Amino acid sequence: MEAGVPGPAAPRDDAPPPPAAGAVAEPAARAGHPSWTAALLVERPAAELRQDLSRFGVGVGLASVYGLALGARQGGMSFVHHAAGVPAAMVAVACLGVPALAIVLTLFDAPLDPARVLSATARAAATTGLVLGGLAPAAALFVVTSGSQDTAALMGLLGLAVGGALGVRVFLRDLGAALRRDQGLFTRSGYTAALLGFAAFAVVLALRVWWEALPLLDGGNS
């Protein structure tokens, strides 16, 4: 080695070891996979029939869990009635209210297609189902321990109202985002009136179905 030319630095024994490639890749891999809840509620850029139907089915199933919680007060066949009655309102709104809204919006030249409407419906159902499924343990505790039938019914109805309201909100927001805002005043007024009318119809229809189908709400006369 020539004089005056420094040689390569000797490695220090106390230097920290370089990070392992797996330690860096593992958090990055985890960050790239959303949770089950996020994947269920994410708004996809393109509608997919199979995934939307699956998402709707998951929402209905989770709503049935809330129904089971309401049926815990009376037991027996009440479990079946409530497990079927809670998601029945969601199905009724999806089958009756959503097609009617889509038809009304097309009268105002709304840029909607059936796939878009189905995707919004499925995401709304999944939202409602997740909320109701999360409230199911608390609902079971309240309806079983409440000394009054009216109190138990009120607490059960409160959970249904929260889940239903959040689902309708997601549905209206998804459809509202697809509507053009550069239309005239008449068209925009028609959009708004149709969406508000659907919200009112969904509330009335859901309450009607729940009142008829859930023994807890009518004092066990169903």
Side-chain angles (χ1 to χ4, degrees):
M1 181 178 297
E2 297 180 1
V5 179
R12 296 175 54 187
D13 294 338
D14 58 346
V24 178
E26 184 177 354
R30 286 199 301 264
H33 294 281
S35 65
W36 177 79
T37 302
L40 185 65
L41 297 181
V42 67
E43 185 176 4
R44 300 186 179 94
E48 299 181 15
L49 178 60
R50 183 175 180 180
Q51 293 185 359
D52 288 333
L53 292 178
S54 176
R55 182 186 290 187
F56 186 87
V58 170
V60 168
L62 291 173
S64 296
V65 175
Y66 187 83
L68 292 174
L70 299 184
R73 181 175 181 86
Q74 299 164 342
M77 290 300 297
S78 180
F79 284 113
V80 178
H81 292 157
H82 288 87
V86 170
M90 299 166 55
V91 176
V93 172
C95 294
L96 299 177
V98 173
L101 173 64
I103 293 174
V104 172
L105 289 176
T106 56
L107 297 178
F108 293 95
D109 196 25
L112 293 177
D113 55 79
R116 176 76 182 192
V117 176
L118 176 61
S119 179
T121 304
R123 207 162 80 93
T127 301
T128 299
L130 280 174
V131 173
L132 294 180
L135 294 176
L141 177 62
F142 276 112
V143 300
V144 170
T145 59
S146 296
S148 169
Q149 173 76 18
D150 293 337
T151 302
L154 178 61
M155 297 307 300
L157 185 61
L158 180 60
L160 292 172
V162 172
L166 291 177
V168 170
R169 177 178 177 271
V170 168
F171 178 79
L172 296 181
R173 185 179 61 185
D174 284 1
L175 284 193
L179 301 178
R180 293 194 299 265
R181 299 300 179 184
D182 57 350
Q183 300 289 337
L185 178 61
F186 175 77
T187 301
R188 286 186 281 111
S189 299
Y191 289 167
T192 303
L195 295 177
L196 292 178
F198 169 82
F201 175 79
V203 170
V204 173
L205 179 59
L207 288 176
R208 179 65 177 175
V209 172
W210 285 331
W211 187 265
E212 292 293 333
L214 303 182
L216 179 68
L217 299 186
D218 65 354
N221 296 323
S222 294

